[in-house]
Amino acid sequence: MEETQQWYDRNSTLSTIRERHSIRQFTDEPVTDEMIQIVLKAANQAPSAHNQQSWRFIVIRGEKKRELVELVNRRASGFPKSSSVLLRMASRSIASAPAVIAVANTGDLIEHGTQLFQVEQELAHDFFRTMEIQSSAAAVQNLLLAATSLGLATVWLGILYLLKDEVLTLLGEPKGEFMAVIPIGFPLKEARGPAKRPLEAIVKYLD
């Protein structure tokens, strides 16, 4: 265990993975265009099915960010209490961050793959839909880690999936798959991530 810890201490990639955790409150210090480009380039380097890169990144600031906050707050009251609370928390994080990056699937892989695969259409659609989601999730993880390496904070607001069609419409994107809305900025205060389950509880070895 101690030897494993040493690897995390001296390897910058492993150290960044360890340091990344969700931050929901940000300072008003702006995130530069250069920083945004760096994290987006890292996201775009993620593996994707058939290298289709069937994702789109939308950088949201200013008035459009305020519109997103208003949409989430307005719709939160129409959900059960637990979901409503999480949506309101998400809107506060969006409002607090100087920038937000949304990640949406384009549907290109679903469309082209379903036409190419000589199998039942519904099965092919589900297959390529899953691959699009997996690909975009990898891009999001790259983005989160790149941001952490720059001293930035992020949070993956998966709860906004409840409003995915409305959010995509607001962002001028076609309805379809939806991956994430990610506030990004400098952390208002340092915070520790939650404890993770020990590997012994989640790993098995087969020979």
Side-chain angles (χ1 to χ4, degrees):
M1 182 64 70
E2 183 177 345
E3 183 177 347
T4 300
Q5 186 63 40
Q6 289 176 356
W7 273 104
Y8 276 82
D9 291 338
R10 63 177 181 245
N11 182 287
S12 60
T13 301
L14 294 174
S15 179
T16 297
I17 292 171
R18 179 181 60 189
E19 292 169 8
R20 189 225 61 82
H21 53 271
S22 298
I23 300 290
R24 297 178 180 273
Q25 292 182 296
F26 308 88
T27 70
D28 58 5
E29 182 178 352
V31 177
T32 66
D33 289 341
E34 182 181 19
M35 285 181 162
I36 294 292
Q37 288 296 310
I38 290 170
V39 300
L40 291 179
K41 185 171 183 179
N44 200 45
Q45 292 295 313
S48 63
H50 302 282
N51 196 35
Q52 288 295 297
Q53 298 174 277
S54 52
W55 48 55
R56 192 186 303 277
F57 306 109
I58 305 101
V59 181
I60 310 163
R61 294 181 170 124
E63 180 59 31
K64 188 59 68 173
K65 183 167 76 78
R66 286 190 288 273
E67 290 178 14
L68 180 58
V69 170
E70 291 171 2
L71 169 65
V72 177
N73 280 332
R74 185 172 65 251
R75 292 286 285 110
S77 60
F79 286 88
K81 184 176 180 180
S82 58
S83 299
S84 179
V85 167
L86 291 175
L87 285 167
R88 293 188 191 281
M89 286 176 58
S91 75
R92 289 194 292 270
S93 295
I94 294 168
S96 170
V100 176
I101 299 175
V103 183
N105 291 352
T106 64
D108 291 344
L109 181 61
I110 297 173
E111 179 181 356
H112 297 145
T114 303
Q115 294 171 357
L116 291 173
F117 257 43
Q118 301 300 311
V119 297
E120 197 270 321
Q121 289 291 88
E122 185 175 349
L123 175 61
H125 180 276
D126 288 346
F127 175 62
F128 285 104
R129 173 181 174 273
T130 299
M131 287 202 292
E132 275 210 358
I133 292 171
Q134 291 172 339
S135 299
S136 293
V140 171
Q141 181 71 348
N142 272 19
L143 189 157
L144 301 180
L145 293 174
T148 300
S149 75
L150 297 176
L152 295 168
T154 56
V155 58
W156 183 342
L157 298 177
I159 189 67
L160 291 196
Y161 185 86
L162 296 177
L163 309 176
K164 71 180 182 72
D165 287 342
E166 292 161 275
V167 171
L168 289 171
T169 297
L170 177 69
L171 301 180
E173 295 295 314
K175 292 182 179 180
E177 294 304 331
F178 172 81
M179 279 306 304
V181 170
I182 306 161
I184 183 169
F186 291 92
L188 182 62
K189 57 183 179 180
E190 294 300 321
R192 297 175 61 86
K196 301 297 184 181
R197 296 171 64 189
L199 289 181
E200 293 78 8
I202 58 174
V203 176
K204 70 177 182 180
Y205 298 89
L206 302 175
D207 291 321

